[in-house]
């Protein structure tokens, strides 16, 4: 049915109308009333282009949607509806933790549930496609966009990729409000040199395949409707015009046959990269790399028609791109009813959505240090202070439609819950006299949300000097400092670590931020997050990942010199991926394997017990890592191959099946392989305390 309808439509379309489908305009070409604001002299977009255009980005709201869509359908000769796209990254109106925070929950179910809520809220307000999830691997804290990635680990990223895509698209039941998910940025955007935004990427093919492609593949396998190209280069060619990356790898190898869109203006940026001399060349290179839609209409509207007329782009290719775009519109039901699900009275921030947001922010917060079990706090007699204490800037970047007024600052929330708490503003110089009656001070600091996110790379990720000084001053005045860090990236906390009794990494938790922090500080919620990205001791260690490779001269050789080390720092991070405390006293014991040999036909079962020696129910993250003792290619000293999260009341038995396939590595042709020999498995609930077992692969 779809094919006949679409093929008939394509037959009817003029070349100009086909090109129009490949053009995306931003909101500022339209009035809220639905009127076209008119061509802009600077953009080379004509009135005809606007009428033929296939999609818009950044328009939001049920009324705006109805006005603009109805006007567009009326103006279009064949009444083809517009696709509306936007960045609904970690919630629409109800805001969930930034993805790097949600990654720290180690609970992909929460990504599913939160993106389900985002789809529900977003679709009713006119969004068909969300530019999410971002599946780039985050390994360099200098890069501002780490906040939009889920972790530094390829395997954990695949779990979150699947969950996010399925949540947005609700593949189980497309009758429900769902949004098409556009995964991004293909490929390896997280590897920009020196963590500088939009910089070039230089990466071996083998590392691309092994560490980066799996998360995009997981998104594609979960049914993602679109893929966005990355701004960066791969193998010296910008991704948007990179035929190997887009045609050979994405289309042929990964089998992605749906719509590809450029990142914002990335087609034209081929000119800045100096691989195209003008819009014509940029168009031909990008379109021939099967980039179907030019986001922000800089080049295709100008030159795609010429390229087809000159034979530099074939009519067949144009038809294929248009077919992919129309199929997406068809699958979203836009030809049946372009107003389906649009609801000006939709229920936003519903009780259920806020409950999911609360659980997500509870689980994303990581307790990194807790000397003498100072937390949960056992007294009313404490103070809260710090630059983020009275801030409602707790949603993080990419939360366009979340409202600050829906977020309660910690100062307000804590004092409403318990008026005895002493809130001290840090405006001006910190005066320790204000804390004279308090032994414990909760210092809430970190970064503002505008210090991370797109185009917010930094060379200095140390906690700002005034905050370090304040914490030191409190310590010197005899206070026990509990430091709470809000940030969209790992910060260097080395300078404050000695002056704190406890450290909490809270990321940007979203709408329910303060309720979660209060419940964690007071023990109503037992912390269960584990770091999704390692925290360096020193900026000079970046990029940094727990997935270190052994060198020819490991530090452990113990020689004083000529080993792989720094002369002014440890090699290890201050806090590592997979690390995080709870208030319970849990440990893993009785770990046994069903066999010491693993083959294609014989799996290995790991059994064991998690014992909880406290009376607090705990949510524990069971983690299994691998080290391949000898393989043809170098492999990390530790790589995550299995994760599960569950409650432990007293004791909990676990039973994990390890297959030979889970132990394999990915080579430069994207094949999975493992040679015969020994591998070591590491099992535990914190990546710094693991039990090791050796098995033989045959
Ligand atoms: C970002 C994308 C985003 C797009 C549309 C670009 O600048 O890199 O991730 O989806 O803008 O807002």
């Amino acid at each position: 049915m779809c094919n006949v309808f679409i093929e008939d439509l394509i037959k009817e379309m003029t070349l100009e109308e086909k090109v129009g489908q490949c053009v995306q305009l931003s909101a500022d070409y339209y009035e809220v009333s639905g009127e076209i604001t008119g061509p802009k002299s600077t953009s080379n977009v004509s009135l005809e282009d606007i009428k033929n255009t296939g999609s818009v980005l950044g328009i939001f709201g049920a009324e705006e949607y109805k006005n603009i869509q109805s006007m567009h359908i009326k103006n279009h000769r064949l009444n083809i509806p517009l696709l509306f796209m936007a960045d609904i990254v970690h919630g629409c109106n109800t805001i969930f933790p930034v993805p790097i925070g949600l990654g720290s929950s180690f609970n992909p179910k929460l990504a599913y549930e939160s993106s389900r809520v985002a789809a529900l809220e977003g679709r009713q307000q006119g969004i068909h496609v969300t530019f999410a999830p971002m599946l780039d691997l985050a390994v360099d804290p200098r890069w501002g966009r780490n906040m939009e990635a889920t972790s530094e680990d390829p395997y954990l990223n695949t779990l979150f990729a699947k969950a996010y895509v399925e949540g947005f698209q609700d593949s189980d039941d497309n009758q429900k409000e769902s949004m098409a998910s556009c995964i991004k940025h293909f490929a390896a955007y997280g590897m920009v040199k020196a963590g500088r935004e939009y910089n070039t990427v230089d990466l071996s093919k083998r590392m691309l395949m092994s560490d980066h492609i799996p998360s995009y593949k997981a998104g594609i396998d979960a049914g993602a409707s679109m893929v966005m190209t990355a701004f960066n280069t791969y193998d010296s060619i910008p991704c948007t015009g990179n035929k190997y990356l887009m045609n050979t790898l994405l289309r042929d190898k990964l089998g992605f046959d749906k719509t590809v869109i450029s990142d914002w203006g990335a087609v034209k940026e081929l000119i800045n990269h100096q691989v195209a001399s003008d819009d014509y060349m940029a168009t031909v290179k990008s379109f021939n790399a099967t980039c179907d839609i030019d986001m922000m209409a800089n080049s295709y509207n100008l030159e795609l028609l010429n390229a087809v007329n000159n034979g530099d782009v074939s009519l067949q290719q144009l038809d294929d791109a248009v077919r992919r775009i129309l199929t997406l519109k068809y699958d979203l039901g836009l030809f049946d009813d372009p107003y389906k699900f649009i609801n000006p009275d939709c229920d936003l921030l519903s009780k259920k959505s806020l409950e999911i947001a609360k659980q997500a922010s509870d689980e994303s917060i990581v307790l990194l240090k807790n000397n003498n079990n100072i937390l949960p706090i056992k007294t009313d007699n404490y103070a809260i202070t710090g630059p983020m204490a009275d801030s409602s800037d707790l949603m993080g970047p990419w939360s366009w439609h979340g409202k600050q007024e829906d977020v309660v600052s910690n100062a307000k929330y804590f004092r409403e819950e318990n008026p005895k708490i002493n809130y001290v503003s840090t405006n001006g110089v910190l005066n320790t006299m204000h804390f004279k009656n308090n032994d414990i001070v909760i210092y809430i600091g970190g970064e503002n949300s505008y210090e991370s996110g797109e185009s917010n790379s930094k060379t200095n990720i140390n906690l700002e000097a005034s905050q370090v000084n304040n914490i030191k001053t409190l310590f010197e005045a005899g206070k026990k400092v509990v430091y709470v860090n809000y940030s969209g990236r790992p910060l260097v906390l080395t300078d404050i670590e000695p002056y704190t009794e406890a450290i909490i990494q809270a990321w940007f938790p979203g709408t329910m931020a303060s309720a979660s922090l209060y419940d964690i500080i007071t023990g109503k919620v037992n912390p269960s997050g584990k770091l999704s990205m390692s925290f360096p001791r020193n900026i000079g260690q970046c990029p940094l990942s727990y997935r270190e490779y052994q060198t020819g001269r490991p530090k452990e050789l113990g020689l004083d010199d000529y080993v792989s080390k720094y002369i002014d720092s440890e090699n290890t991070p201050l806090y590592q991926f997979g690390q995080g405390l709870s208030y319970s006293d849990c440990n893993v014991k009785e770990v046994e394997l069903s066999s010491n040999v693993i083959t294609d036909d014989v799996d290995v079962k790991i059994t064991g017990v998690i014992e909880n020696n406290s009376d607090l129910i705990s949510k524990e993250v069971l983690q299994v890592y691998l080290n391949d003792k000898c393989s043809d290619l170098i492999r990390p000293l530790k790589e995550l191959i299995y994760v599960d999260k569950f409650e432990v009341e007293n004791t909990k038995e676990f039973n994990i099946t390890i297959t030979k396939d889970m132990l394999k590595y990915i080579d430069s042709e994207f094949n999975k392989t493992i040679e015969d020999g020994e591998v070591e498995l590491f099992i535990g609930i914190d990546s710094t305390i693991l039990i090791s077992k050796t098995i033989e692969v045959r």
Side-chain angles (χ1 to χ4, degrees):
M1 171 60 195
C2 172
N3 286 346
V4 177
F5 175 82
I6 294 205
E7 294 313 319
D8 286 351
L9 197 53
I10 292 175
K11 276 187 211 135
E12 288 272 312
M13 291 170 82
T14 63
L15 273 183
E16 287 79 0
E17 285 162 352
K18 289 178 184 176
V19 167
Q21 291 303 309
C22 304
V23 169
Q24 177 162 104
L25 293 179
S26 66
D28 50 1
Y29 288 89
Y30 300 87
E31 298 283 358
V32 172
S33 61
E35 296 294 330
I36 296 169
T37 56
K40 296 184 187 316
S41 52
T42 48
S43 69
N44 299 317
V45 177
S46 71
L47 191 61
E48 227 23 54
D49 290 338
I50 303 174
K51 288 184 178 169
N52 281 333
T53 206
S55 57
V56 286
L57 94 159
I59 292 175
F60 184 78
E63 290 304 340
E64 287 91 322
Y65 175 89
K66 283 200 275 185
N67 293 339
I68 291 168
Q69 186 68 291
S70 60
M71 193 67 82
H72 182 83
I73 293 174
K74 204 171 81 194
N75 283 336
H76 196 282
R77 188 182 67 90
L78 296 169
N79 311 120
I80 300 180
L82 271 173
L83 266 175
F84 288 63
M85 308 195 190
D87 295 272
I88 308 294
V89 174
H90 52 109
C92 189
N93 301 80
T94 309
I95 302 296
F96 301 90
V98 291
I100 198 73
L102 207 55
S104 282
S105 73
F106 273 61
N107 186 355
K109 201 167 134 260
L110 292 170
Y112 175 87
E113 287 176 356
S114 62
S115 50
R116 196 78 289 291
V117 173
L120 195 79
E121 292 183 343
R123 185 71 193 268
Q124 293 184 78
Q125 296 173 92
I127 306 302
H128 303 129
V129 178
T130 177
F131 296 131
M134 185 182 101
L135 301 177
D136 311 322
L137 196 74
V139 288
D140 196 328
R142 293 171 292 185
W143 191 45
R145 293 196 84 165
N146 293 309
M147 51 70 46
E148 209 181 334
T150 41
S151 85
E152 70 185 36
D153 183 74
Y155 171 70
L156 192 63
N157 276 0
T158 62
L159 304 183
F160 275 92
K162 179 174 188 303
Y164 269 118
V165 170
E166 288 180 349
F168 284 127
Q169 302 200 153
D170 196 43
S171 40
D172 287 346
D173 180 358
N174 59 18
Q175 287 313 303
K176 287 199 199 139
E177 292 85 341
S178 60
M179 291 194 296
S181 162
C182 176
I183 62 169
K184 63 190 187 183
H185 306 87
F186 201 75
Y189 188 22
M191 294 299 287
V192 281
K193 265 192 196 164
R196 177 155 59 82
E197 184 70 309
Y198 314 127
N199 207 355
T200 44
V201 165
D202 197 1
L203 178 69
S204 74
K205 191 173 167 195
R206 139 86 173 136
M207 289 302 180
L208 172 78
M209 298 298 179
S210 120
D211 293 5
H212 300 267
I213 297 302
S215 59
Y216 307 112
K217 180 175 185 314
I220 291 167
D221 292 349
S225 301
M226 286 180 63
V227 168
M228 187 187 293
T229 67
F231 283 127
N232 53 274
T233 53
Y234 170 68
D235 205 13
S236 305
I237 299 174
C239 297
T240 307
N242 192 317
K243 281 193 183 170
Y244 167 74
L245 203 62
M246 307 313 292
N247 296 352
T248 311
L249 185 55
L250 180 69
R251 299 293 193 189
D252 297 346
K253 198 124 197 157
L254 302 183
F256 185 71
D257 58 1
K258 303 178 191 169
T259 306
V260 171
I261 188 167
S262 77
D263 202 342
W264 181 295
V267 171
K268 201 182 190 71
E269 286 178 18
L270 264 57
I271 304 173
N272 293 345
H273 280 288
Q274 301 186 337
V275 299
S277 51
D278 53 21
D279 283 297
Y280 185 86
M281 205 167 169
T283 296
V284 170
K285 287 198 170 187
S286 303
F287 207 79
N288 283 337
T290 59
C291 175
D292 302 324
I293 302 179
D294 175 3
M295 184 194 294
M296 268 316 286
N298 290 312
S299 306
Y300 284 8
N301 68 307
L302 212 60
E303 298 290 7
L304 186 52
L305 186 62
N306 296 334
V308 175
N309 285 335
N310 294 342
D312 287 326
V313 163
S314 71
L315 184 57
Q316 173 73 46
Q317 276 173 277
L318 180 62
D319 282 353
D320 287 347
V322 171
R323 185 175 295 110
R324 290 190 281 262
I325 298 163
L326 295 179
T327 302
L328 176 57
K329 295 186 179 188
Y330 185 94
D331 289 346
L332 283 160
L334 298 189
F335 290 109
D336 279 346
D337 176 7
Y339 309 101
K340 192 171 173 187
F341 302 128
I342 302 300
N343 178 9
D345 305 314
C346 58
D347 187 13
L348 304 172
L349 295 123
S350 71
K351 187 164 173 281
K352 186 169 169 235
S353 307
L354 292 173
E355 275 167 18
I356 296 170
K358 172 69 168 47
Q359 191 193 341
S361 67
D362 287 351
E363 291 200 27
S364 68
I365 293 174
V366 190
L367 179 65
L368 291 173
K369 176 178 177 183
N370 194 18
N371 279 4
N372 306 312
N373 292 329
I374 187 170
L375 295 178
I377 208 146
K378 285 133 198 116
T379 168
D380 285 342
N381 181 10
Y382 64 95
I384 69 167
T385 190
M388 297 296 277
D390 198 23
S391 168
S392 51
D393 178 25
L394 303 175
M395 293 183 290
W398 293 116
S399 46
W400 306 123
H401 309 296
K403 293 205 180 90
Q404 292 267 326
E405 56 262 36
D406 293 329
V407 182
V408 183
S409 78
N410 282 295
K412 187 157 186 276
Y413 191 92
F414 275 58
R415 284 177 53 83
E416 271 172 13
E417 291 294 311
N418 185 348
K420 290 188 195 145
I421 295 167
N422 175 24
Y423 164 63
V424 181
S425 158
T426 45
N427 287 338
V429 181
L430 183 129
N431 180 349
T432 50
M433 282 310 286
H434 293 143
F435 303 89
K436 64 177 187 306
N437 297 324
N438 309 117
D439 288 341
I440 300 175
V441 179
I442 316 257
Y443 190 94
I444 307 182
E447 286 185 338
N448 292 308
S449 68
Y450 55 77
E451 290 178 79
S452 58
E454 186 173 354
S455 84
N456 290 321
S457 293
K458 279 186 165 182
T459 58
N460 181 356
I461 54 165
N462 292 328
L463 185 64
E464 145 193 295
S466 63
Q467 299 189 46
V468 176
N469 289 338
N470 285 346
I471 291 169
K472 213 170 152 191
T473 305
L474 288 165
F475 172 82
E476 282 163 358
K479 307 297 168 192
K480 293 192 173 77
V481 180
V482 172
Y483 175 65
V484 178
N485 190 62
Y486 285 112
S487 64
R489 57 154 67 77
L491 294 183
V492 171
L493 302 179
T494 313
D495 289 345
I496 57 146
E497 199 276 338
Y499 307 115
T500 56
E501 277 300 280
I503 298 183
I504 291 174
Q505 172 58 24
W507 306 107
F508 284 107
T511 314
M512 299 303 281
S514 306
S516 287
L517 187 62
Y518 183 80
D519 285 353
I520 283 187
I521 297 271
T522 56
K524 195 165 157 206
V525 166
N526 193 355
S528 67
K530 306 283 164 191
L531 282 185
S532 52
M533 259 187 106
S534 302
F535 276 50
R537 295 172 190 276
N538 187 306
I539 181 79
Q541 293 177 292
C542 299
L544 180 72
S545 157
Y546 84 96
R547 295 170 85 254
E548 281 275 297
Y549 292 87
Q550 190 59 292
T551 66
R553 301 233 177 149
K555 189 168 179 239
E556 294 68 37
L557 281 180
L559 304 172
D560 281 347
D561 244 326
Y562 303 108
V563 290
S564 183
K565 67 174 170 66
Y566 298 104
I567 59 172
D568 59 352
S569 169
E570 293 293 316
N571 289 357
T572 53
L574 185 64
Y575 298 111
Q576 129 178 338
F577 172 88
Q579 181 175 358
L581 303 167
S582 80
Y583 297 148
S584 313
D585 176 15
C586 287
N587 53 55
V588 180
K589 34 184 249 185
E590 295 165 29
V591 176
E592 291 190 14
L593 306 183
S594 61
S595 156
N596 293 327
V597 175
I598 195 164
T599 69
D600 287 330
D601 306 318
V602 179
D603 300 337
V604 168
K605 288 204 187 331
I606 308 175
T607 51
V609 173
I610 301 178
E611 188 182 59
N612 186 346
N613 298 308
S614 69
D615 44 17
L616 280 174
I617 298 178
S618 178
K619 280 185 185 161
E620 294 299 331
V621 176
L622 187 60
Q623 310 165 39
V624 181
Y625 296 85
L626 163 79
N627 176 234
D628 190 343
K629 292 289 181 198
C630 180
S631 59
D632 287 352
L633 304 177
I634 58 162
R635 299 186 69 176
L637 283 166
K638 251 201 276 169
E639 48 189 307
L640 186 69
I641 58 163
Y642 174 90
V643 164
D644 195 9
K645 188 171 188 178
F646 44 76
E647 280 194 350
V648 183
E649 196 170 344
N650 301 312
T651 53
K652 172 100 185 171
E653 290 177 8
F654 59 83
N655 186 338
I656 307 165
T657 302
I658 303 289
T659 64
K660 185 172 168 183
D661 200 54
M662 290 162 75
L663 309 179
K664 291 180 177 170
Y665 63 84
I666 298 173
D667 69 15
S668 54
E669 293 310 314
F670 207 61
N671 297 317
K672 287 179 117 187
T673 319
I674 187 159
E675 297 83 24
D676 288 355
E678 272 189 355
V679 301
E680 200 172 351
L681 299 172
F682 305 97
I683 303 115
I685 50 176
D686 180 303
S687 63
T688 57
I689 313 164
L690 298 165
I691 294 170
S692 138
K693 295 276 171 189
T694 302
I695 57 174
E696 194 190 328
V697 179
R698 277 191 209 149

